[in-house]
Structure formats: structure tokens, C-alpha cells
Amino acid sequence: MTTPTALDLERLTGCGAKTRGLDVRSADDATIDAIRQAIFDHGVVFFEGQTLTPDDQIAFARRLGPIVINRYFPKTEQWPEIAKVEKTETQTGNIGGGWHTDHSYDAAPAMGSVLLAVQTPPVGGDTLFADMYAAYDTLSPEMKARLVGLVARHSSAHIFGERGAYTHSGRPEMAGNIDLPEAVHPVVITHPGSGKKALYVNPTFTREIVGLDAEESRSLLDQLFAHAINPRFVHRFSWSPGSMAIWDNRATWHYALNDYQGHYRLMHRITLDGVPLAA
Ligand code: SIN
């Protein structure tokens, strides 16, 4: 293990941090360790001007951790490790257009994603990121006490399964799948890389808080969801080709805005494998 070097990082409003003057292709091992720790600590780290080929992106992602292939996203023809997050000029629905954190329906949810902008619309197509450390920290002491010991069920079927949400949002090819995992995780986790507590429920995949009646579960989840998207915890990132974000799914939510109808947007996403989560 090398000693992490100091990264030149600028804290951003709401959520995340941005690197300055770094070409990830030439990062040494200490810098890779520092990037990984920055992702754990800040939830999302942004990079500009990364003219990476698919092979470069895969090689860089592998240095951060093992890659896991998303079950549902279309893949880049030659590189199955790279999911294509694409919207054409004629499509109406986008991918990821609602608050979520990736793979929370898995028993060991993905650690994070490395998203590289390949082609961006002239205006629009930003992504929102919300800080789940801040969301947890700012809960009232009463709410924190209420969440102790609670676990929630996360599911993929209502999004990616037969008649899943993508069927009705203009991207039917993303639904109709049969491999549809679900998992139970603590509502508040201790992040395995930072040791900080984070709120770990999300509006897209979390279905219920286990053991509460349906109404109480819905009401508690709705309160948490409304709290978590306070603008104080949200950063809006504008992409241009070569921008790259690496987010930590255990510490953030994200939301791809769909406000660029008639224009093309292509992002290359690599997902990094995670570990089971604990309170
Ligand atoms: C995603 O949810 O992975 C897509 C994010 C984006 O396209 O901005």
C-alpha cells in the first residue's frame, strides 16, 4: 500500500469535489489511492479534460477497484465493461432520470461508477448529485434515534422487469428483464471506506422499511426522501466531452436531467464492485 498524496481538490457547493490539473492516465499509485479516498470522503469527484479511449477508461477504473457489469444497460460493442448511457435525437426518455443510487437491489451494491462524457448536447443534460452524509448528519436527533436498527428492502423488478417503470418512460428496451434481484440493507450505513454514517435509502429502488406497516413505511421514506434533496446537499454538474465523474453509491444519489430533447448525449459508464453494507 502506498501513502496517498495530496490531490489538488476544490470543494463544490452541495456535494462533491473537483480535481485540478490531473490526467488520470499518468496517475501514480499514491494518486490513485488519494482519488479513491477522495471519492469515499466527498461522495463524488469530478475531472475535466480526460480524453480517454475506452481502453484507457477501463485501465483507470481497474486501478480503483474491480469492475462489475451492469445487467440492464446496453454495452459498448467491443468493451462489455463499458455501459452506454445514450439518448438519441429522437428518443424521449433518458436513462437514470430519477433520484437513485446504482445497484442498491444487490446484496453487495456497486461501490461506484466512473462516468465519462463522450458527446454532450449544446445545452442541458446536467446531472444532479446529492450528499447522503449531509442528509444523515442533518436529521433531527429524534429521527436518527428512530432509524437505529431499521432495514429497508430494495428491488429492481418495478424498474427493469416486465412492465417496469422504463416501459412507461420512453425507454422500453430497458425493461422486460428476468434477472431481478432484491436486497435488504440498513437504512443508515457506516460507509466502509470513510467510517462516516450515510442515509442509505433512495426513491427509485427502495420499496419499504421492513417490519413497518405499509402506510408508516411510505410516510417515513417520503420524509427521508424530501429531506435528502434539500438544495444545500445537491450539486448540479454540467458536462462537456472529457468531463468525468466518479461517484460513490453508498454516499450519494444522482439524477440525470432529461432537458435536451432533439439532441444526442452519450456517456460511457463503468461500474465498480462493492461490498455488503452494515449499520
Ligand atoms: C446514470 O444514472 O448512471 C446516468 C447518469 C447520467 O447520464 O448523467
Side-chain angles (χ1 to χ4, degrees):
M1 190 78 172
T2 49
T3 311
T5 53
L7 275 182
D8 188 4
L9 275 182
E10 177 193 342
R11 284 292 301 273
L12 298 174
T13 56
C15 182
K18 191 171 187 168
T19 59
R20 278 186 287 236
L22 179 68
D23 177 344
V24 298
R25 287 172 304 188
S26 54
D28 60 13
D29 288 348
T31 305
I32 293 289
D33 287 344
I35 292 171
R36 191 185 303 102
Q37 195 60 46
I39 297 161
F40 293 161
D41 292 341
H42 296 285
V44 56
V45 175
F46 301 98
F47 305 76
E48 295 290 3
Q50 306 298 315
T51 48
L52 304 184
T53 64
D55 286 326
D56 289 336
Q57 191 186 353
I58 292 167
F60 169 62
R62 281 220 172 95
R63 295 181 73 197
L64 291 170
I67 292 173
V68 60
I69 296 181
N70 179 283
R71 296 171 183 81
Y72 309 121
F73 283 34
K75 290 162 190 56
T76 305
E77 291 73 21
Q78 278 173 268
W79 297 275
E81 297 91 340
I82 299 183
K84 271 205 299 200
V85 182
E86 183 179 39
K87 183 178 176 233
T88 65
E89 292 84 342
T90 53
Q91 284 174 318
T92 54
N94 72 341
I95 295 176
W99 282 115
H100 66 287
T101 188
D102 302 328
H103 297 210
S104 70
Y105 44 74
D106 280 331
M111 173 254 144
S113 292
V114 181
L115 189 71
L116 177 71
V118 178
Q119 197 170 325
T120 53
V123 66
D126 297 351
T127 305
L128 308 177
F129 292 88
D131 182 339
M132 292 304 116
Y133 294 135
Y136 174 75
D137 287 344
T138 53
L139 291 171
S140 67
E142 295 73 28
M143 180 59 92
K144 285 181 179 165
R146 188 175 173 199
L147 299 183
V148 171
L150 293 184
V151 296
R153 181 173 65 85
H154 300 242
S155 172
S156 52
H158 62 292
I159 304 295
F160 297 111
E162 194 71 35
R163 293 186 296 280
Y166 274 114
T167 317
H168 316 290
S169 67
R171 297 302 292 261
E173 79 282 7
M174 296 286 291
N177 296 280
I178 51 171
D179 179 10
L180 296 164
E182 54 175 50
V184 168
H185 305 292
V187 169
V188 177
I189 59 162
T190 301
H191 188 285
S194 69
K196 296 194 277 188
K197 292 221 178 281
L199 189 63
Y200 193 74
V201 286
N202 70 87
T204 297
F205 298 120
T206 309
R207 301 298 275 164
E208 60 166 348
I209 297 185
V210 178
L212 302 189
D213 69 44
E215 208 175 307
E216 195 185 353
S217 163
R218 187 71 266 153
S219 153
L220 181 52
L221 285 174
D222 286 347
Q223 270 185 72
L224 295 173
F225 294 161
H227 171 79
I229 55 168
N230 184 311
R232 283 188 297 137
F233 318 143
V234 175
H235 184 75
R236 177 176 180 145
F237 185 71
S238 295
W239 304 89
S240 48
S243 311
M244 184 167 71
I246 310 177
W247 63 80
D248 186 319
N249 285 308
R250 294 84 50 96
T252 56
W253 295 352
H254 56 283
Y255 185 135
L257 294 171
N258 186 15
D259 57 355
Y260 53 97
Q261 195 54 41
H263 297 285
Y264 184 76
R265 181 178 185 267
L266 175 64
M267 316 290 277
H268 279 176
R269 192 181 106 176
I270 297 178
T271 312
L272 300 172
D273 211 357
V275 295
L277 300 173

